[in-house]
Amino acid sequence: MIEVGDILVSEDAVTARFACDLGACLGACCRVGDAGAPLGPGEREAVEEALAVVLAWLPAENRELFAREGFVDRRQPEKPQLVCFPDGRCVFSIAFAAASGRTGVPLGCALEAAFRRGLTRFRKPLFCHLFPLKLGHFYDRRVLNVERRPECEPGFDGGIGMLESSREVLVRLFGDAWYEQCLEAARRERERLKPSR
């Protein structure tokens, strides 16, 4: 584990290599779970601002769910999180074209799709953008760790370093200076962890 500012970064986050393989996981981060993505400060308002664009992209069943329940789960008002279908799919999940030779249709995020096309200013909740990294707490310290789900394992077979592949969201969350400091500390830690010959 390394310490960067007031954030602890787990050894797994430092050493893991990852490249999201949507064709293998079929969008597990948008469809697997027993609760929706938590919304951080200001994110509810940001989603509301994007709704005019995003609602038109949602399939009929998603719009029906939205009409019944909105996009914030009412069961825990003190901990706002996105509404999900009973099978775990997020209210903002949209189907992409099925990959050739694959079963199932990969899911993606309508919020992110609108952002990537320059139609909105909000990409998606930080919780979603960060995944499979996860920000938790250890006593009074924040800890950046990796959440490994079976659906995501194919993504851990290659790719670049987890921290490197997560540059955009880590800068969004902590800023450029923190990110550069984190990368330097991670490089030193990787060298230290290399087996001696």
Side-chain angles (χ1 to χ4, degrees):
M1 188 169 289
I2 60 174
E3 185 173 5
V4 185
D6 64 343
I7 309 295
L8 299 174
V9 182
S10 74
E11 184 175 314
D12 198 14
V14 168
T15 59
R17 299 178 71 78
F18 184 76
C20 182
D21 185 349
L22 190 61
C25 74
L26 303 179
C29 54
C30 295
R31 65 177 174 80
V32 176
D34 54 4
L39 295 170
E43 290 189 327
R44 183 179 192 149
E45 295 77 12
V47 172
E48 285 171 350
E49 189 178 305
L51 285 177
V53 172
V54 172
L55 282 177
W57 292 17
L58 296 179
E61 66 173 336
N62 296 52
R63 290 195 304 273
E64 289 167 12
L65 178 65
F66 178 85
R68 284 194 315 270
E69 300 185 27
F71 69 89
V72 178
D73 193 324
R74 298 183 189 124
R75 292 175 296 180
Q76 291 186 301
E78 72 285 354
K79 294 181 181 178
Q81 58 191 31
L82 294 179
V83 165
C84 287
F85 287 94
D87 65 5
R89 285 175 296 136
C90 174
V91 69
F92 291 113
S93 62
I94 55 174
F96 294 143
S100 176
R102 302 272 186 186
T103 57
V105 177
L107 294 181
C109 176
L111 292 167
E112 182 167 23
F115 173 84
R116 285 183 179 269
R117 286 168 177 78
L119 301 174
T120 64
R121 294 182 297 163
F122 181 66
R123 182 170 184 160
K124 58 183 170 182
L126 272 167
F127 180 90
C128 304
H129 195 182
L130 197 57
F131 192 82
L133 287 172
K134 197 166 188 178
L135 191 61
H137 288 85
F138 181 72
Y139 294 100
D140 61 340
R141 303 293 300 277
R142 291 186 294 171
V143 180
L144 192 62
N145 204 350
V146 178
E147 181 178 341
R148 289 183 178 259
R149 288 188 172 172
E151 299 87 356
C152 297
E153 281 306 312
F156 286 97
D157 288 342
I160 61 174
M162 174 72 74
L163 297 173
E164 286 82 354
S165 68
S166 302
R167 180 188 189 287
E168 189 177 347
V169 66
L170 291 175
V171 168
R172 177 183 169 194
L173 191 55
F174 301 121
D176 282 302
W178 182 92
Y179 180 74
E180 292 305 323
Q181 188 182 352
C182 180
L183 271 194
E184 186 53 40
R187 288 185 193 110
R188 289 194 302 268
E189 183 67 0
R190 289 168 186 161
E191 283 299 317
R192 189 188 71 79
L193 292 171
K194 276 185 181 174
S196 54
R197 295 181 179 180

